[in-house]
Amino acid sequence: DAKTTQPTSMDCAEGRAANLPCNHSTISGNEYVYWYRQIHSQGPQYIIHGLKNNETNEMASLIITEDRKSSTLILPHATLRDTAVYYCIVRVGGSQGNLIFGKGTKLSVKP
Amino acid sequence: NAGVTQTPKFQVLKTGQSMTLQCAQDMNHEYMSWYRQDPGMGLRLIHYSVGAGITDQGEVPNGYNVSRSTTEDFPLRLLSAAPSQTSVYFCASSIGVHYGYTFGSGTRLTVV
């Protein structure tokens, strides 16, 4: 699976959009980009995933660059409850595929 | 629909003891995994399963055994507990390779 690079930490003002970047320059054609978050000591929570098209769901939007070497997770209106560690994971499909977590980005949403 | 249920939530073991961490899901998911998380670190994959009767090793499998006799259950066995196995253990399940995983709330294990 491709390696990902994320900033260690980011701050965001409550009510503003939070844009979390992820670099995955060695991604291959059959690898998906997944985003998870972990709030305090809870189990990780799945947010969104995509292959090459931009994706949106009720939680967030995922923007993947045309060359697929980087992506951005967007939380449109961040709240204090969005304070968490956000993990960007690149994963190959197939029976050998599984989640490999890095250290993620610690997002702090401030009032 | 309970999702992924892990038991127990907390456990203290003595060095050398064995125990089984239980994980059950009621979503008919084929894929299940076990992770451990140590302070200040990301999650590390221990073992995973792509269906009943099929398991494979992850990144840190030593000292742990798994089996998958049913779709619903994926227990993790510690054969002879060591202080280095003090950690938070998470179980997760997914319907398939291109879908998100649902995680349990974790088991906090201390080995003294």
Side-chain angles (χ1 to χ4, degrees), chain B residues 16-78:
Chain B
Q17 286 185 317
S18 63
M19 80 159 294
T20 299
L21 279 61
Q22 302 291 343
C23 176
Q25 51 91 10
D26 60 358
M27 299 172 283
N28 201 32
H29 285 175
E30 290 294 327
Y31 287 72
M32 296 187 75
S33 304
W34 276 102
Y35 292 85
R36 62 177 286 174
Q37 186 171 35
D38 301 309
M41 296 184 68
L43 285 82
R44 292 185 291 170
L45 180 65
I46 305 172
H47 285 283
Y48 65 99
S49 169
V50 298
I54 305 169
T55 64
D56 206 346
Q57 297 181 350
E59 185 183 358
V60 288
N62 292 341
Y64 308 95
N65 270 1
V66 292
S67 60
R68 185 97 178 271
S69 57
T70 67
T71 298
E72 294 76 20
D73 300 297
F74 190 42
L76 178 72
R77 282 182 288 277
L78 279 68

Side-chain angles (χ1 to χ4, degrees), chain B residues 4-11 87-89 104-109:
Chain B
V4 177
T5 302
Q6 291 186 239
T7 56
K9 292 191 183 304
F10 300 93
Q11 183 71 47
S87 189
V88 181
Y89 292 84
S105 57
T107 294
R108 283 145 183 82
L109 175 68

Side-chain angles (χ1 to χ4, degrees), chain A residues 32 34 36 38 41-46 49 87 91 93-103, chain B residues 31 33 35 37 40-43 45 48 50 56 59 90 96-101 103-105 108:
Chain A
Y32 287 67
Y34 289 79
Y36 285 76
Q38 188 173 26
S41 56
Q42 298 176 21
Q45 177 187 24
Y46 164 78
H49 76 281
Y87 297 98
R91 173 191 172 189
S95 62
Q96 299 301 314
N98 224 300
L99 299 176
I100 304 296
F101 285 81
K103 297 195 174 175
Chain B
Y31 287 72
S33 304
Y35 292 85
Q37 186 171 35
M41 296 184 68
L43 285 82
L45 180 65
Y48 65 99
V50 298
D56 206 346
E59 185 183 358
F90 291 102
V97 291
H98 296 315
Y99 294 84
Y101 272 79
F103 281 78
S105 57
R108 283 145 183 82

